[in-house]
Amino acid sequence: MVLEKNRSTEDIYLVGIGVSPGIAIGQVNLLDHRYPVYEFFIEADEIDAEIERFRHAVAQAATQLQRIKERVSGQVHLREHLYILDTHKLILEDEMLVGATETAIRTQRNAESALRQVLKNLRSLFDNIEDEYLRERRSDVDAVGERLLRILCGAAEQLTSRVEKESIIVAHDLSPAETMQVDRSRVLGFLTDKGGRTSHTAILARSLDIPAVVGLETITSQVEDRQTIIVDGESGIVILNPSTATINEYQDRKKHLAQLAQELEDYRNLEAVTTDGVRISLCGNLEMESEFKLAHKHGVEGIGLYRTEFLYLGRQQPPTEEEQFEAYCSALDKIGGQPITIRTLDIGGDKFVAGLNLDDEANPAMGLRAIRFSLQEENLFRVQLRAILRASGRGPVRIMFPMISGVAEIRACKRILREVITELEQEGLACNPDIPVGIMIETPSAVMIAPFLAQEVDFFSIGTNDLIQYFLAVDRGNQHVAYLYDPFHPAILRALKMTCDAAHAAGISVCICGEMAGEPLYTLVLIGLGLDGLSMNPSCVPRVKRVLRHVSKQQGEALVEKLLQLPTSKEVSATIDQQMRVLLPDLFARPLL
Ligand code: PEP
Ligand code: MG
C-alpha cells in the first residue's frame, strides 16, 4: 500500500506509443528544437541575394546529409535504411519545396518566411492523404524543412551523437538522420512528442534495438535536462520523477527481461514439439522486407502470413507484376528457402491504399474489402496472381485468399488462378501449377461451412483478429467496445474447434495467423484445439516455443474439454490462467512473461 502511495505522489505516468521494446532507465537529454526564426519582408533589390542565400542553405543541407551517410554507412544494422537519407537529398532537389520557396522569396519574403509558408502548404496537402504510410512521409519533408531552417537561422546542427552517457533522448520529433547518428553506447532510449508506429524513427529505433516511445504529445514541455526517467518501449509507458521503489521495480523487470531473452536464445534451434511428440509449425507474420532479419533471429520455420498490402502502400499506382515478382523472390531468398504463404491483397476495412478504387463506405469492415475487392478488380488481381505464381517457380510458395465468406468465392479464385497458370505456361514462364491454395477463416459464415470449404482447398489459416471482430460484432479498432473484444469468449473457442475439426476431417492442415497465435498463455489451448501451426510476430516465436516444449497435446485436449463447458469468458480465462500456473509455475507466476 505504501508503495502505491509513493507512486501516486512521486511518479508521473505518461502513455505514448511503444514502438521499440525494452526498458531503459536513464537521464533526460532534451534536444531543443526551439531556435529563433525571423520572418520579414525584403526589398525588391534584395531578392536575388536572398535566393542565393537559400540555395547556399540547400547545398549545405545536402553536404550534411552526405556526411551523415558516410558516417553511418559502416554500421551494418543501418545499411538498409540509408535510402532515407537519399530520399531527403531528393526532397532537397524537389521543385515542390525548393522551386516553390524561391517563388515565394520573389514575393519579397525572406527565405525563412518563404520556406515556412511552403512547408505549411505541403503539410496541409499531406494531411489530406488517407493512406497512413504516405501521410507519415510528411515527416520526411518536415525533417528536410527543419534542417534548412536551422541552417538559414545559423542554429547548430542537431547532434545526437554528442550526448552524455546513459541518456534518454527527448525531442519534439527526431528525423531519421538524427536517429541514425546516435551513439548506441550512450543513448538508452528515445522519447518524442510526435511520431507514429510506421514513422522512420520508429523503424530505426527497432533496428538499433533502442527502446522508444513516440506520440507522447507534450513530453518535451514536461521534462527537464538530467531528470531521471523510465521508458518501457513495449507498453509505451514513460515514468517521470520515479520513486526509488519504482526504479527498483523497473530494474528488476529489466533484469528479468534480459534473463528471459538469454533463456529464449536457447530455444532458437530447438524443435517446436510437445512433450508427447506432436510437431507444431511455428512461423512468422511479415509485411516489410526489413522484418526478415528479425524472423531469422527468432528461428521461424517459414512465413505463415506474408501481408502484401505493404507493397501497395505509399504510392499512387499499384505495384507492377515485375515489382511484385521481385519482392516475393527477394522474400524467398531472405528466408532461405523456407516456405512462404503469400496472402493476396487484403485491402479495405481499416486498411486504405491511395490510388485504388475504394469508395467511402458506411460500413467498410463489411464492405468491399479483401477478396471481394480483388474479385471486383480482376485485372489487378490477375497481376498479383501472376507475380505470386512466377515466384512459386522459384521456391516453396503457398497462396492464401483473405476473408472468404462462401464457396462461390473460393471457386472464383481458383478458376482465375487456373487461367493464370495456363497463361504463364503458354508464355513459357516457370510456375508451380500445383501451388498449395489456402483460405483465411475470418468470417462466421466460413466457420459454419468449414466442411464445404475444406473440400476446396489445401489448408486453412484462421485470422482471429477479424474472426473475433465478426463473431462478436466488435469493431477491432474501436476503443469504446474494446472491452468486448475477447479471444476467450466461449463462441470463439467453439468457432476454433469447429474449424479445426472440419479441416482434419477433410485431411487438410489448419493454423492460426491472428495475434492470438503469439500469446504464450493461449498456446496450450490452441494445441488442444488441434491447430497444426501458429504464425505470429517473429519476436513471439521463442516464448511460444518454450511453452510448447513443456506441455503435451493431451494436457491441451483435457483443458479444452473443460473450457467448452464454461459459459463465460471470465471463467474460461480464469481456468486457463490457473492451469498454466499449475503446469508452468516458473513461466506464468512471474509478472512479465
Ligand atoms: C486476422 O484477421 O487475424 C489477420 C491475420 O489478418 P489481418 O490482421 O491482416 O486482417
Ligand atoms: Mg484479417
Side-chain angles (χ1 to χ4, degrees):
M1 285 310 284
V2 176
L3 189 67
E4 286 305 313
K5 197 167 162 216
N6 268 349
R7 262 191 192 168
S8 58
T9 51
E10 294 188 27
D11 305 354
I12 302 168
Y13 283 74
L14 304 176
V15 183
I17 307 166
V19 291
S20 181
I23 288 173
I25 306 169
Q27 265 71 50
V28 168
N29 192 304
L30 189 58
L31 295 187
D32 199 354
H33 279 251
R34 284 160 300 177
Y35 46 89
V37 179
Y38 298 107
E39 298 184 38
F40 49 84
F41 284 100
I42 55 175
E43 300 295 333
D45 61 1
E46 291 173 324
I47 290 175
D48 287 346
E50 196 62 5
I51 288 181
E52 204 40 52
R53 187 168 78 91
F54 176 66
R55 287 185 182 162
H56 186 69
V58 171
Q60 213 177 321
T63 310
Q64 283 181 357
L65 288 168
Q66 183 57 30
R67 224 181 30 232
I68 297 167
K69 190 171 169 185
E70 283 159 15
R71 202 179 301 150
V72 298
S73 58
Q75 299 183 40
V76 182
H77 54 285
L78 289 178
R79 213 169 275 158
E80 64 181 301
H81 301 296
L82 290 180
Y83 77 95
I84 301 170
L85 297 174
D86 292 329
T87 308
H88 286 197
K89 277 165 75 184
L90 284 176
I91 294 172
L92 276 177
E93 291 163 18
D94 200 303
E95 279 302 293
M96 296 261 282
L97 180 75
V98 180
T101 305
E102 291 191 10
T103 307
I105 295 174
R106 287 186 209 286
T107 65
Q108 293 186 282
R109 289 165 176 275
N110 75 334
E112 288 87 332
S113 156
L115 176 61
R116 275 195 157 168
Q117 183 58 43
V118 169
L119 287 172
K120 194 169 151 209
N121 295 344
L122 286 174
R123 257 177 227 132
S124 57
L125 271 180
F126 272 94
D127 283 346
N128 289 327
I129 296 176
E130 268 192 0
D131 174 340
E132 186 197 348
Y133 178 82
L134 203 60
R135 201 173 49 236
E136 283 207 2
R137 300 289 72 81
R138 182 188 113 164
S139 60
D140 291 319
V141 177
D142 280 345
V144 172
E146 173 92 12
R147 183 171 293 282
L148 283 170
L149 274 176
R150 290 189 88 93
I151 294 171
L152 287 168
C153 299
E157 190 182 350
Q158 189 129 267
L159 288 178
T160 45
S161 51
R162 303 214 188 121
V163 296
E164 306 233 352
K165 274 197 164 159
E166 313 223 317
S167 284
I168 308 270
I169 291 188
V170 180
H172 181 58
D173 196 7
L174 274 175
S175 73
E178 287 158 356
T179 315
M180 275 185 197
Q181 292 180 83
V182 297
D183 177 345
R184 284 160 99 210
S185 66
R186 291 172 177 271
V187 174
L188 302 179
F190 292 128
L191 300 173
T192 58
D193 289 334
K194 293 176 65 175
R197 225 170 275 286
T198 54
S199 60
H200 286 319
T201 308
I203 295 167
L204 280 165
R206 283 195 289 274
S207 286
L208 289 163
D209 209 8
I210 293 179
V213 178
V214 302
L216 283 153
E217 293 182 4
T218 54
I219 180 99
T220 45
S221 54
Q222 297 195 53
V223 295
E224 283 170 19
D225 247 341
R226 311 314 302 155
Q227 185 181 358
T228 301
I229 194 165
I230 297 177
V231 179
D232 182 345
E234 179 101 48
S235 63
I237 290 176
V238 173
I239 308 170
L240 312 183
N241 204 21
S243 64
T244 314
T246 306
I247 293 177
N248 290 341
E249 181 188 324
Y250 271 84
Q251 258 156 358
D252 283 351
R253 284 192 189 201
K254 204 174 152 184
K255 259 190 237 146
H256 173 58
L257 282 179
Q259 188 191 337
L260 188 65
Q262 189 63 46
E263 280 170 30
L264 290 174
E265 278 274 301
D266 301 341
Y267 282 85
R268 194 189 175 286
N269 297 318
L270 296 179
E271 219 188 350
V273 63
T274 60
T275 52
D276 50 355
V278 178
R279 276 284 284 123
I280 304 285
S281 105
L282 297 186
C283 290
N285 291 352
L286 292 193
E287 43 199 293
M288 276 190 248
E289 292 249 342
S290 57
E291 294 170 320
F292 279 84
K293 220 171 28 199
L294 206 67
H296 269 302
K297 182 174 157 205
H298 296 298
V300 304
E301 296 168 35
I303 303 306
L305 169 62
Y306 182 10
R307 289 184 167 102
T308 55
E309 293 79 70
F310 197 75
L311 297 172
Y312 293 70
L313 293 174
R315 48 191 301 155
Q316 287 302 322
Q317 296 297 323
T320 61
E321 177 183 324
E322 235 25 66
E323 280 174 286
Q324 292 188 61
F325 173 59
E326 270 169 35
Y328 304 147
C329 289
S330 146
L332 274 170
D333 278 352
K334 288 205 163 120
I335 208 70
Q338 289 178 328
I340 301 192
T341 304
I342 302 179
R343 178 175 76 181
T344 62
L345 185 62
D346 183 12
I347 216 65
D350 59 343
K351 301 171 196 149
F352 293 100
V353 170
L356 294 186
N357 265 338
L358 285 166
D359 289 337
D360 276 349
E361 294 180 313
N363 208 342
M366 299 197 196
L368 187 63
R369 57 166 295 197
I371 201 62
R372 303 168 182 184
F373 176 79
S374 292
L375 287 172
Q376 175 151 319
E377 298 288 328
E378 206 179 303
N379 290 339
L380 199 73
F381 189 38
R382 282 176 182 268
V383 170
Q384 184 170 36
L385 294 182
R386 281 179 64 94
I388 297 174
L389 281 163
R390 284 175 57 199
S392 75
R394 293 281 187 92
V397 170
R398 312 198 303 170
I399 189 166
M400 178 158 80
F401 300 110
M403 212 192 157
I404 294 289
S405 57
V407 169
E409 263 169 353
I410 180 60
R411 287 190 179 153
C413 293
K414 287 195 320 189
R415 177 183 53 77
I416 299 171
L417 189 72
R418 267 194 308 271
E419 286 171 12
V420 175
I421 291 173
T422 311
E423 211 173 271
L424 291 174
E425 283 173 343
Q426 281 165 356
E427 291 170 36
L429 291 168
C431 77
N432 173 11
D434 299 316
I435 184 170
V437 174
I439 55 170
M440 298 217 28
I441 301 288
E442 302 184 277
T443 60
S445 58
V447 173
M448 302 310 286
I449 59 161
F452 294 131
L453 291 170
Q455 300 300 324
E456 303 286 334
V457 292
D458 302 306
F459 64 94
F460 281 167
S461 185
I462 310 177
T464 42
N465 304 343
D466 274 316
L467 187 77
I468 296 170
Q469 136 162 299
Y470 293 125
F471 244 88
L472 304 183
V474 176
D475 180 348
R476 67 193 251 191
N478 181 340
Q479 73 275 26
H480 303 298
V481 287
Y483 71 100
L484 289 171
Y485 189 91
D486 191 355
F488 290 130
H489 195 292
I492 301 301
L493 279 179
R494 279 171 170 69
L496 297 179
K497 180 92 176 60
M498 283 170 77
T499 309
C500 290
D501 290 351
H504 292 153
I508 66 168
S509 69
V510 53
C511 76
I512 284 195
C513 63
E515 292 304 304
M516 227 179 146
E519 173 51 69
L521 187 65
Y522 306 158
T523 307
L524 180 61
V525 182
L526 299 182
I527 299 168
L529 283 164
L531 284 140
D532 303 299
L534 304 172
S535 189
M536 62 197 82
N537 181 318
S539 62
C540 301
V541 167
R543 298 188 216 188
V544 169
K545 198 193 280 183
R546 188 168 58 154
V547 174
L548 192 85
R549 288 182 57 89
H550 285 90
V551 295
S552 69
K553 179 158 181 175
Q554 221 179 4
Q555 286 168 332
E557 285 169 347
L559 176 61
V560 167
E561 212 179 297
K562 238 192 256 173
L563 298 180
L564 288 171
Q565 311 302 318
L566 302 173
T568 66
S569 54
K570 202 169 161 198
E571 287 157 282
V572 171
S573 134
T575 308
I576 297 176
D577 221 55
Q578 197 230 357
Q579 176 75 348
M580 295 318 289
R581 278 166 194 265
V582 170
L583 289 177
L584 295 163
D586 270 8
L587 305 188
F588 290 93
R590 288 199 263 180
L592 285 172
L593 184 71

